[in-house]
Amino acid sequence: MSHVETETAGQPECWRRAAEVAADRAAALPATGERVAVVGCGTSYYMAQAYASLREDSGQGESDAFAASEFPLGRSYDRVVALTRSGTTTEVLDLLTRLRGTTRTVAVTADPRTAVMTAADEVVVLDFADERSVVQTRFATTALTLFRAHLGLHTEDVVRDAEAALADPLPEGLLECSQFSFLGQGWTVGLANEAALKMKEASLSWTESYPAMEYRHGPISIATAGTATWMFGPAPEGLAEQVRATGARWVESGLDPLAELVRVQRLAVARAAARGLDPDLPRHLTRSVVLDGAAAG
């Protein structure tokens, strides 16, 4: 069994522990009314998108998400939240250094032995969700669970949905699909983006992701027999019927959207196996992007 399979399977227990950490470390996380920016790279950026949307939609305060390299230094925030599994990602560390003394920062990481521990004003460590695989699964979803619990949006039902996502068979025919479009609305746009990335990383699949209402504005032209369109959360009215009319496979479920991401993680691993790929070691990728001075500039 690959590391990513083991780590994917461990998510329900990690989510339970994350909810406990959210209660214990509530003071380290953004308070109601604060203007917050959430940053990350790759998978962490997409989790940042989901958290920012959830936080603002729940009335907690203005919340934006940025790739760490694209953070607008001219804007004013009460707090910047940085996601970094490794604690060594160059763009995140550089941003935290720039913000020191001017903006309160908190980092969420899996590794307490890295530079992020002193780069941020406060750190929340989810070391129980750390991973050996290059491909992120449980750290990303555990970090988002931490935030959902802090917002009062996490329940045991979400964990049970994750257990179902691990136990139930995947929809038939997905291994053979030639292309996948992942769709979301609101906070699940970030999940759709992450789903597309996971399939690319682990199985070299052709994937795209869009806000669901944007899918009709051009991307649906890709849909045809042998492709799949996968919805996170409730679909806009009539969209499922329009996709099915193209001959494409429509995929959705009644699971919590974060649990639905677990199903995509499983599919990515299954497609990797079918192609003879190692999902733990995707080509051209490393666990953390650490740049030298020239590359970082």
Side-chain angles (χ1 to χ4, degrees), residues 168-183:
D168 295 344
L170 291 171
E172 294 183 4
L174 292 182
L175 282 177
E176 295 75 34
C177 286
S178 61
Q179 189 274 342
F180 295 82
S181 294
F182 295 98
L183 310 180

Side-chain angles (χ1 to χ4, degrees), residues 37-111:
V38 195
V39 302
C41 300
T43 288
S44 292
Y45 171 43
Y46 298 139
M47 295 300 101
Q49 290 178 330
Y51 171 42
S53 180
L54 279 172
R55 184 175 184 274
E56 185 156 326
D57 287 349
S58 64
Q60 297 291 302
E62 290 185 20
S63 308
D64 297 318
F66 302 100
S69 59
E70 298 297 320
F71 181 82
L73 290 168
R75 291 192 189 179
S76 176
Y77 290 96
D78 298 311
R79 192 177 327 216
V80 171
V81 180
L83 299 184
T84 169
R85 175 182 67 171
S86 68
T88 60
T89 304
T90 296
E91 299 100 301
V92 172
L93 294 178
D94 283 353
L95 177 59
L96 291 173
T97 299
R98 286 171 175 254
L99 295 174
R100 184 179 293 132
T102 63
T103 304
R104 189 177 181 188
T105 60
V106 57
V108 178
T109 188
D111 193 339

